[in-house]
Amino acid sequence: MKPQICLLGIQKFAKDKQVLKQLQEQLGDKFINPTEIIKPKMKPFCFLQFIDDDQKNKFIKLIEENPELKLRIGEVHNENAFEKQLEKKIKQQKQNEDEIKQFQEKHQNREVIERKQNELALQTAPLYQVKYEEQIEQKMAELKKVIKKLKNQFIQKNGKEYAPDWILDTNLIKLNDPVICEEKFRFNYRNKSEFTISQNSQKEVCVGFNVGSIQKNNDSVEQPNTCPVTPTIAIEIANQFQNYLQSSKFQPFNRQNGNGVWRMLSIRKSDRTKQLLISVSINKDNLLQEEYAQICEELIALFKTNYGEFILKGLLLMHSNKLGQDLASSVEDTKILYGNSYYQEIILDKTINISYNAFSQNHTPQCDKLYQTIIDLCKNKKINKFLDLCAGSGTIGICVSDQIQDILAIEMNESSCKDANENYKLNNLQNCQIICSKVEDVIKKVAQDLKSYQGKQQLMACLDPPRAGVLNKVIEAIRTCKGIDHIIYVSCSPPQVIDNLIQLCLPQSKKNKAPEFKLVNVTLVDMFPQTSHFEAIFYLERDYGILSELM
């Protein structure tokens, strides 16, 4: 054991390093540095340990020769006192180090979480920090690029010498004023929210949005709390479900190897009817029958609760065992746990039943304006017959039905057709009907039945297809259909439908039968504030050449 002493007269508030510094200052060059110093908390003494007895004796003599220091050497009554104090000091140092480490880890984790949350906000709403007026300017600039790209591809396919005037000079295409969004509807506007169930960056079960990539093996899911376009009620339900899942014995579905159970949470809501429709997607192949029954009971108990001004219209449990993000599931794989399989929305004063798997515009107030723009186009051309193509649940036809004499919709999905008929009955509409078929198979017969004739300018065909547009054979069927002289083409991804527009507008030839259309005007509808996306309405008219001017 190394020699040690007890030094009395130390300030009781002083700490180890302060005592050592004070002795160095008072003794100057004569100071003998101890190998260890221990200053017990709130005590008027300290323990000093030296390398050998010679060093110890020299230090004692130094203190005795300097009485002005008011320090004196005390006796160490307990031989183990120093070791106990040293042990206590080491333990305290370790505790301090652990606390510092925990603080650093917590701080680092917080930085990671904040970074992920910021990434999520920018990923889901990349323009949320941009002034709204600038957002519209950017989108109008993108729409102009689409028109320019249409011109270039048209000339590339058909040659400049055969290009019509409106292609050579795109200023002849009228670019209408954008349909902007009211300030109160620019944030938290989505009426449908879909959340993935997986692990976050801290390896905790999370219900939220994907950040990263499965292919790059760096994907994670982060809570939607910072998403600028997700409504508060959807975030609250997602967080509620996450708390439940974190105590569940079943794991999230692994999108790479198919293990696990929980896949996705979908929430559809209406601010006008205050109805909610909740769908949970799982992989039931990894469950026993009794476990599946248990999950059903637990979900009913969890979600059948009070949501303030909102009411739960329906709760569904869906099954999919497909890898990746593919969640396509059949009606047979969907179980209604509570209520109905649809909720109700009000669009332009029409009540619409929207099924859990039906398409609907994600921004209801802007949807009103989108459909009103379609109505105005029909009014300006004195349209009295409306052909709703790729009609889905018949929503567009229903919303324009008060202004147009006859509405005939075509949709190939049987479930959507059933929904459309229910919506016709719900709104007591006698002038609407829907045909369940592919557009290209029935459009000519349908147009003939509507008694529409070339040049009469009374039939409007409205096409609102999926993001990627429609197949060439559909466009060919529309183009060669006598009686269709007006087309409204609605697109949520204008760059992807350029080929469709060109096919409608290429000059008549052996390959491109029937007189071509010309693009008359384009309207931008800001359906997706805080993002770079927008909806575009392309209005086209049949170009009969000189005959068009006489009509």
Side-chain angles (χ1 to χ4, degrees), residues 527-542:
M527 191 69 70
F528 315 97
Q530 318 312 326
T531 79
S532 59
H533 303 292
F534 56 88
E535 203 92 8
I537 303 174
F538 298 92
Y539 171 63
L540 304 97
E541 288 181 352
R542 185 83 73 172

Side-chain angles (χ1 to χ4, degrees), residues 317-454:
L317 184 60
M318 304 168 69
H319 160 69
S320 176
N321 56 11
K322 298 181 180 181
L323 299 180
Q325 290 290 84
D326 189 354
L327 275 176
S329 58
S330 64
V331 175
E332 293 76 21
D333 287 330
T334 301
K335 181 176 182 178
I336 301 175
L337 299 181
Y338 171 79
N340 301 310
S341 61
Y342 65 88
Y343 76 108
Q344 291 185 323
E345 182 60 276
I346 296 175
I347 305 173
L348 287 182
D349 296 326
K350 299 294 184 184
T351 302
I352 309 292
N353 287 347
I354 300 177
S355 296
Y356 69 97
N357 57 352
F359 168 78
S360 65
Q361 295 291 352
N362 75 89
H363 194 311
T364 306
Q366 285 302 93
C367 183
D368 283 346
K369 294 183 179 182
L370 174 71
Y371 293 168
Q372 185 60 53
T373 303
I374 293 174
I375 291 171
D376 294 341
L377 282 169
C378 292
K379 282 182 177 179
N380 292 338
K381 297 300 175 181
K382 299 180 180 179
I383 299 296
N384 56 17
K385 299 182 187 297
F386 190 86
L387 195 55
D388 189 2
L389 308 178
C390 304
S393 302
T395 310
I396 294 180
I398 291 169
C399 289
V400 305
S401 61
D402 287 347
Q403 285 75 29
I404 295 177
Q405 179 181 328
D406 294 309
I407 311 292
L408 202 151
I410 303 175
E411 170 58 49
M412 63 183 290
N413 184 278
E414 289 185 15
S415 176
S416 296
C417 291
K418 183 180 178 182
D419 289 346
N421 281 317
E422 289 296 323
N423 285 325
Y424 295 157
K425 292 177 184 178
L426 185 64
N427 291 279
N428 194 27
L429 299 177
Q430 305 300 319
N431 61 336
C432 295
Q433 60 175 311
I434 190 165
I435 297 174
C436 190
S437 174
K438 293 180 179 179
V439 170
E440 61 270 29
D441 291 345
V442 298
I443 187 169
K444 292 181 181 179
K445 175 70 165 58
V446 165
Q448 185 179 358
D449 290 345
L450 285 173
K451 298 179 180 180
S452 181
Y453 301 97
Q454 180 171 301

Side-chain angles (χ1 to χ4, degrees), residues 259-312:
N259 294 332
V261 174
W262 304 106
R263 295 200 62 148
M264 184 169 282
L265 170 69
S266 174
I267 301 165
R268 306 187 79 154
K269 61 95 184 180
S270 169
D271 288 324
R272 295 172 177 178
T273 65
K274 300 302 179 184
Q275 294 181 2
L276 291 169
L277 184 65
I278 300 176
S279 304
V280 177
S281 299
I282 65 170
N283 174 22
K284 67 179 181 181
D285 289 351
N286 294 332
L287 292 171
L288 299 174
Q289 187 172 355
E290 56 268 26
E291 290 174 332
Y292 179 75
Q294 175 191 345
I295 280 180
C296 292
E297 292 177 2
E298 290 180 353
L299 291 180
I300 293 172
L302 177 69
F303 288 115
K304 194 178 175 183
T305 186
N306 181 18
Y307 295 103
E309 60 180 347
F310 288 91
I311 59 171
L312 182 63

Side-chain angles (χ1 to χ4, degrees), residues 6-12 38-40 43-47:
C6 178
L7 187 63
L8 305 177
I10 303 297
Q11 292 182 358
K12 63 179 182 178
I38 298 175
K39 166 63 174 65
K43 300 293 182 182
F45 60 85
C46 70
F47 294 102

Side-chain angles (χ1 to χ4, degrees), residues 45-168:
F45 60 85
C46 70
F47 294 102
L48 300 175
Q49 187 180 63
F50 297 90
I51 195 168
D52 54 32
D53 286 327
D54 184 53
Q55 293 287 312
K56 169 189 170 183
N57 293 331
K58 286 182 179 180
F59 186 85
I60 292 173
K61 185 177 179 182
L62 196 60
I63 294 297
E64 291 174 345
E65 290 176 349
N66 292 275
E68 70 277 6
L69 296 180
K70 298 182 179 180
L71 299 173
R72 65 185 188 279
I73 304 300
E75 295 183 8
V76 180
H77 298 289
N78 187 346
E79 294 181 357
N80 296 323
F82 181 84
E83 282 72 16
K84 288 182 178 180
Q85 290 295 328
L86 181 60
E87 184 181 340
K88 187 176 180 180
K89 179 180 178 180
I90 293 173
K91 185 177 180 181
Q92 184 63 47
Q93 287 176 339
K94 176 79 167 51
Q95 183 178 340
N96 292 342
E97 289 173 359
D98 290 343
E99 289 177 356
I100 291 172
K101 186 178 180 181
Q102 290 175 5
F103 174 81
Q104 290 174 337
E105 288 177 351
K106 185 177 180 181
H107 185 70
Q108 186 178 12
N109 290 342
R110 186 166 65 246
E111 287 181 343
V112 170
I113 292 170
E114 288 176 354
R115 186 177 72 251
K116 289 288 184 182
Q117 289 176 340
N118 188 51
E119 286 177 8
L120 186 145
L122 288 172
Q123 182 173 304
T124 55
L127 300 184
Y128 84 100
Q129 295 175 323
V130 178
K131 289 182 179 179
Y132 185 69
E133 293 74 16
E134 294 178 19
Q135 293 184 32
I136 296 299
E137 289 177 7
Q138 289 184 29
K139 295 179 184 186
M140 288 295 285
E142 287 301 314
L143 183 56
K144 290 177 182 177
K145 287 181 183 179
V146 170
I147 296 173
K148 184 177 180 180
K149 189 175 181 180
L150 185 150
K151 169 186 175 179
N152 294 338
Q153 290 188 13
F154 187 102
I155 292 173
Q156 185 179 356
K157 287 186 177 183
N158 201 62
K160 193 171 184 178
E161 62 272 22
Y162 300 108
D165 291 343
W166 65 270
I167 281 288
L168 296 175

